[in-house]
């Protein structure tokens, strides 16, 4: 059992007749004059975060942001959300209040509203958010075309480096903050939706998430390591602490960069827009194959990213 | 901190401009020609269920049904849902398959579709479902009026008796099944929506849930114990095992009966419909007070129902 087989099982057994269901960053249901987007994401203590690494306010903001990133990857505008909260101790109001202050500040920041929820005791803290949004032209994973350029908005590897440092008891900026604070690329996603053929947000790792686009589209791809937007001091920190930079960049999760594919013609038009992106590869016809090179030499990677079907 | 204070805090700090947010069984967002209902409910291992008491297929059905009961209590029709699943072991496909077979059978039974989800490891199994539905005339908690009759559809106390027996290692039908299998009163809810002033489903206990209607409506109430729909052999089992019948009936959760208030005039019209309900009390004007009597004698109850703010 791996994710792909599981997703195929779900798609076969749970057909969705109202629009686009399983298999993208959010579901899409078409109504008269818009497309409703809904996405749901879990954040679980000791799986997605450790309480010693993040305060309750930042945790609430992160829980919102990972969902917002899904809406961004569909080219959508977020509107309101539902909160499922399992709290691991008898609720201490001061702690809870910090969490809800975080939610409130997220609501102001991203123009969101809390519409409902459910609360319960639990042996570990977890947050389950379901986010509702809308899009004029939703962008899917399955429309990448041969000849498309592969491009990215946002740095990668930074969150994974922050996590690696925190796991070793080290706090160095900007890496700690990069792991704790997710920046959803909402405005960029909305602009891109007018130009691109496919899009995804990097939640589990660049390679695994790019592969999701390629597999959904029945395409192959070429990725150029030397073109990747890696923060310039990352190499130095990796060298100093003996971390594997390549592994963090290609397989590290939670950067929430937007990866998209776009035709070369539309990419020329996109240059008129006030957004910064980097071209990192291209879509080729060969099915389900992704080759990665570094200055012309082929790279072999150890793992593609976080696999929810293995421990 | 109790639930009421918490809810007031949430309502003050998270106003909802798109319809009706926190404070009912589901949120209501109005669009051109319908009302969209969305509700979310958690089911957590060792809080809401124990794996030794329920198989994975029944668990999936129960997770759907508790959400469907919320849609029923709003007078709505369920449509599709999102699944957040935290699994406590490396996923064993046979176990997972049973769970998804349960979901599939629930989809057939209640005409539902799975629209999306998120899956992750977790130290305990939990299920977070967000259900989307629609209603022509949503029924809220806050419209109970002085002089309304209080009525109920479904038996009460049966699920709590089943749980009490299972906790003591005893399986006796129909009680075990009553605890494991939730029957959402969807059709009844839709019919009632044309007649009633307020409605709720009994998830945490009859008294606590009826109080939610009365508090939201700023009313008081009278409840007649002798009129409650208690399964006839329940008294016998309670006597035999020394369980407190009154406590199970008034404070036991998870019966998912529908409690509603209706004007006496509309109740006469409701008799034309092919549904069975029982009148158990009336709404009075005195604010926030509920009196309970048994054959004229006042009853004092130990607790109102399951309080998520206490262990």
């Amino acid at each position: 059992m791996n994710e792909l087989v599981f997703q195929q099982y779900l798609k076969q057994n749970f057909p969705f007749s109202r629009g686009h269901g399983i298999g993208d960053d959010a579901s899409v249901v078409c109504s008269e004059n818009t497309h409703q987007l809904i996405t749901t994401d879990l954040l679980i203590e000791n799986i997605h975060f450790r309480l010693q690494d993040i305060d309750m306010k930042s945790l609430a903001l992160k829980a919102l942001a990972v969902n917002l990133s899904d809406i961004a990857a569909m080219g959508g505008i977020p509107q309101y959300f539902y909160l499922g909260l399992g709290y691991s101790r008898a609720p201490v109001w001061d702690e809870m209040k910090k969490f809800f202050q975080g939610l409130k500040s997220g609501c102001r920041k991203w123009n969101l509203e809390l519409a409902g929820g459910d609360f319960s005791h639990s042996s570990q803290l977890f947050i389950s958010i379901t986010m509702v949004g809308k899009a004029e032209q939703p962008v899917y994973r399955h429309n990448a075309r041969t000849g498309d350029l592969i491009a990215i908005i946002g740095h990668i590897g930074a969150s994974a480096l922050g996590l690696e440092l925190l796991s070793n008891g080290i706090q160095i900026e900007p890496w700690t903050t990069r792991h704790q604070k997710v920046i959803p690329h909402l405005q960029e996603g909305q602009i891109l939706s007018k130009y691109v053929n496919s899009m995804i947000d990097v939640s589990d790792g660049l390679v695994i998430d790019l592969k999701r686009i390629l597999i959904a589209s029945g395409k192959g791809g070429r990725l150029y390591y030397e073109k990747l937007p890696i923060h310039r001091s990352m190499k130095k920190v990796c060298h100093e602490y003996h971390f594997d930079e390549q592994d963090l960049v290609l397989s590290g999760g939670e950067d929430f960069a937007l990866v998209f594919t776009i035709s070369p013609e539309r990419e020329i038009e996109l240059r008129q827009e006030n957004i910064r992106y980097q071209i990192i590869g291209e879509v080729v016809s060969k099915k389900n194959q992704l080759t990665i090179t570094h200055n012309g030499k082929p790279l072999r990677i150890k793992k593609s990213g976080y696999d929810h079907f293995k421990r």
Side-chain angles (χ1 to χ4, degrees), chain A residues 11 60 78 81 91 119 129 147-148 156 167 193 196 199 214 225 229 252 296:
Chain A
K11 279 193 166 190
F81 66 98
F119 310 96
I129 283 182
D148 272 4
I156 51 168
S167 305
S193 72
V196 308
M199 186 151 56
L214 297 174
Y225 191 84

Side-chain angles (χ1 to χ4, degrees), chain A residues 33 59 68 81 85 96 98-99 109-110 115 127 163 172 178 182 186 189 192 196 213 220 237 270 276 284 286:
Chain A
N33 47 17
L59 185 61
L68 293 172
F81 66 98
L85 181 63
M96 291 272 274
K98 278 179 201 153
F99 182 84
K109 194 171 179 176
W110 293 304
I127 303 147
L163 177 63
I172 310 178
R178 284 301 178 99
V182 177
L186 282 163
L192 287 172
V196 308
I213 282 186
V237 177
L270 180 61
R276 291 176 63 183
V284 296
K286 204 171 166 213

